[in-house]
Amino acid sequence: MMETLHSVTMDSPVGPLFLASSARGLVALEFDKRLPGQQTIRPNPRDLRMEAKGLRFQESAEELQAYVRELNEYFDGRRREFRFPLDLRGTEFQIACWRALLAIPCGETRTYADIARAVGRPQGFRAVGMANNRNPIAIVVPCHRVIASDGTLCGYGGGLEVKRKLLELEGARSGMLAA
């Protein structure tokens, strides 16, 4: 059965963002500009009418208005946490990792090892890194708040400059983030 997701592309200080929601909540928040091989919910970013993965996209700024409003408040520095529902879709392990990310307070960071311990896999920091890499809801599920054990920023789907901007916006900037 084909599922219809509502979608919109919004402008932001870190570039265009693609949002998609189901009846249950936000399913995807993707940077318009992606790295080669990076996951996307869209079968072809240039043609949202295409159907793939059992999904159909229907552009609807109205359906996504609440999401866009909260994201704009976040970028304006007026919002520290999001209140809208999420529709997390992934493996049990990925969802556990993403829930651990959601527990990181705005303005703070954690290491991959911290997240691995939080999900009961203390040696699983590489697996946590892969789960972060597959995070379909950038910014809201804050994988940008995860840094390497030595304090460097390390990989981010939106690019390290975007990661740095988001951490600065949240007030997590410190000497450690100079990398």
Side-chain angles (χ1 to χ4, degrees), residues 101-119:
L101 298 178
L102 287 164
I104 305 171
C106 187
E108 295 185 22
T109 58
R110 299 290 184 271
T111 66
Y112 291 95
D114 292 334
I115 302 301
R117 284 190 294 275
V119 298

Side-chain angles (χ1 to χ4, degrees), residues 1 12 22 30 49 54 117 124 137 145 158 174:
M1 193 171 110
S12 84
S22 70
E30 300 177 355
R49 294 172 307 241
R117 284 190 294 275
I137 308 177
R145 296 180 190 153
S174 74

Side-chain angles (χ1 to χ4, degrees), residues 54-126:
L55 301 175
R56 178 183 306 126
F57 294 90
Q58 180 179 331
E59 261 197 80
S60 177
E62 193 174 305
E63 285 287 333
L64 287 128
Q65 190 174 357
Y67 303 104
V68 170
R69 186 187 73 247
E70 285 196 25
L71 283 159
N72 282 326
E73 290 169 359
Y74 167 81
F75 286 118
D76 289 344
R78 296 182 288 127
R79 176 172 293 282
R80 310 258 314 151
E81 61 186 60
F82 298 99
R83 303 238 182 260
F84 49 71
L86 301 177
D87 182 357
L88 295 174
R89 299 177 180 194
T91 66
E92 197 175 310
F93 178 74
Q94 287 171 331
I95 291 171
C97 289
W98 301 336
R99 290 197 189 290
L101 298 178
L102 287 164
I104 305 171
C106 187
E108 295 185 22
T109 58
R110 299 290 184 271
T111 66
Y112 291 95
D114 292 334
I115 302 301
R117 284 190 294 275
V119 298
R121 297 262 305 270
Q123 301 305 311
F125 50 91
R126 281 196 176 82

